[in-house]
C-alpha cells in the first residue's frame, strides 16, 4: 500500500540556519503531496502542497518540490526562526482522494 | 469564516465505557475525515464521510464507528473503550475530500483510565 517515510527527529537548529526535512513516498498512480505543521497544543495546518510531478509548493518561506523520479518531497527553508519550532508531517493522498497517509512527523527545535 | 470545531476538547473515560466525539466542519464543506494521533502510532486514518456516505475506512476495529448528518456535522463513536484508545482525535473538513486541502480542528484529547 501507499506509505510515507520521514526523517527521524528531533531536528535541532540555530536561528537563521538552513532547514531540510526529508520525505519519500511509495504510491501507485499520481498522488498529491503535502506538508502539514502542528504547533504545540494545536491541530494540523496545511503548510504547502504539490499535485503533480515537478510542482513546487511554497508558503511562509518553506518550499518543497514533487520529484517523481526520486519519489521525494523534501521540505526546505533558507533561514529558520524560533517561531518555526513545531512538528512537521509529510502526507500523501492517492488517486481516491478519500484519505491522507502520513509520515511519522519530524519535531523541529530552533534555538535562538 | 468559522473553522473546524471539535467538541469536547478533553475527555476522561473509564475502560469499558463508550464515547461520542463531535465535529462541525467549515460551512460549505461536505467531506469530513477523522484521524487518531498517538505517540506510538502517529497519525492514522479512521474514516471519511462525504454527504452522509462513508467513502473510506481505515484499519480500526468495529468498536470505532462514525456518521455524518445532513448538515455535514459528523460524530465518531468508540464503544467498549480500551486503554490503548487514549489519543488525540482529529477531524478534518474539506470541500470535496482530504486529498485537495484539509482543514483540521484542534482535536479531542481522550484519556481512558
Amino acid at each position: 500500500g501507499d506509505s510515507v517515510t520521514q526523517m527521524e527527529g528531533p531536528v535541532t537548529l540555530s536561528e537563521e540556519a538552513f532547514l531540510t526535512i526529508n520525505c519519500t513516498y511509495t504510491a501507485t498512480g499520481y498522488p498529491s503531496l503535502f506538508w502539514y505543521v502542528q504547533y504545540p497544543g494545536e491541530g494540523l495546518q496545511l503548510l504547502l502542497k504539490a499535485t503533480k510531478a515537478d510542482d513546487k509548493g511554497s508558503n511562509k518561506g518553506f518550499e518543497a518540490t514533487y520529484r517523481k523520479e526520486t519519489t521525494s518531497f523534501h521540505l526546505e527553508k533558507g533561514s529558520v526562526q524560533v517561531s518555526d519550532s513545531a512538528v512537521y508531517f509529510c502526507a500523501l493522498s492517492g488517486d481516491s482522494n478519500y484519505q491522507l497517509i502520513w509520515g511519522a512527523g519530524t519535531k523541529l527545535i530552533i534555538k535562538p | 469564516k468559522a473553522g473546524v470545531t471539535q467538541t469536547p476538547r478533553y475527555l476522561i473515560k473509564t475502560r469499558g465505557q463508550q464515547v461520542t466525539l463531535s465535529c462541525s466542519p467549515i460551512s460549505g464543506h461536505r467531506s469530513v475525515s477523522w484521524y487518531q494521533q498517538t505517540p506510538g502510532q502517529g497519525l492514522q486514518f479512521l474514516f471519511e464521510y462525504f454527504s452522509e456516505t462513508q467513502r473510506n475506512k481505515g484499519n480500526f476495529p468495529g468498536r470505532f464507528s462514525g456518521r455524518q448528518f445532513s448538515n455535514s456535522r459528523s460524530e465518531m463513536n468508540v464503544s467498549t473503550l480500551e486503554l490503548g484508545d487514549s489519543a488525540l482525535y482529529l477531524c478534518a473538513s474539506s470541500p470535496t475530500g482530504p486529498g485537495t486541502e484539509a482543514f483540521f480542528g484542534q482535536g479531542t484529547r481522550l484519556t481512558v483510565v
Side-chain angles (χ1 to χ4, degrees):
Chain A
D2 296 352
S3 65
V4 176
T5 302
Q6 272 182 254
M7 64 189 290
E8 295 278 333
V11 172
T12 303
L13 295 171
S14 297
E15 205 166 21
E16 299 184 3
F18 184 86
L19 167 71
T20 300
I21 300 178
N22 290 337
C23 171
T24 58
Y25 68 90
T26 301
T28 55
Y30 301 92
S32 295
L33 301 173
F34 306 85
W35 278 100
Y36 280 83
V37 59
Q38 187 174 36
Y39 297 101
E42 298 188 13
L44 293 151
Q45 301 174 25
L46 178 65
L47 182 59
L48 53 84
K49 68 177 183 179
T51 57
K52 60 183 187 297
D54 300 325
D55 266 3
K56 177 185 280 189
S58 61
N59 187 25
K60 298 181 182 179
F62 291 91
E63 293 183 337
T65 301
Y66 188 149
R67 302 282 188 203
K68 193 161 179 64
E69 64 276 12
T70 54
T71 60
S72 64
F73 192 56
H74 305 322
L75 182 69
E76 296 182 335
K77 186 175 185 183
S79 176
V80 293
Q81 306 300 313
V82 172
S83 56
D84 294 327
S85 298
V87 181
Y88 291 81
F89 292 90
C90 184
L92 73 80
S93 178
D95 290 341
S96 74
N97 184 34
Y98 299 159
Q99 70 174 88
L100 288 166
I101 295 169
W102 300 90
T106 302
K107 184 173 183 177
L108 176 64
I109 301 168
I110 307 299
K111 296 189 172 180
Chain B
K1 203 174 192 180
V4 179
T5 303
Q6 290 189 245
T7 56
R9 289 291 312 279
Y10 302 92
L11 266 179
I12 300 175
K13 291 287 188 178
T14 304
R15 268 183 305 174
Q17 287 186 313
Q18 76 166 23
V19 67
T20 299
L21 312 182
S22 179
C23 173
S24 293
I26 292 170
S27 177
H29 286 191
R30 296 165 67 185
S31 167
V32 174
S33 50
W34 290 87
Y35 299 85
Q36 182 195 64
Q37 186 176 25
T38 59
Q41 298 297 316
L43 279 157
Q44 294 186 287
F45 170 73
L46 281 155
F47 23 67
E48 191 260 357
Y49 290 88
F50 183 86
S51 293
E52 301 180 69
T53 299
Q54 186 183 87
R55 295 194 296 190
N56 200 6
K57 187 178 191 307
N59 189 26
F60 277 81
R63 300 185 296 106
F64 291 80
S65 63
R67 58 179 176 168
Q68 186 181 34
F69 302 95
S70 58
N71 62 357
S72 293
R73 189 177 71 85
S74 178
E75 290 181 347
M76 66 164 282
N77 184 275
V78 188
S79 62
T80 320
L81 284 165
E82 301 177 359
L83 295 179
D85 297 333
S86 295
L88 180 66
Y89 290 88
L90 291 164
C91 161
S93 109
S94 173
T96 58
T100 49
E101 181 172 355
F103 297 83
F104 284 81
Q106 290 189 288
T108 294
R109 172 75 62 185
L110 172 65
T111 302
V112 182
V113 297

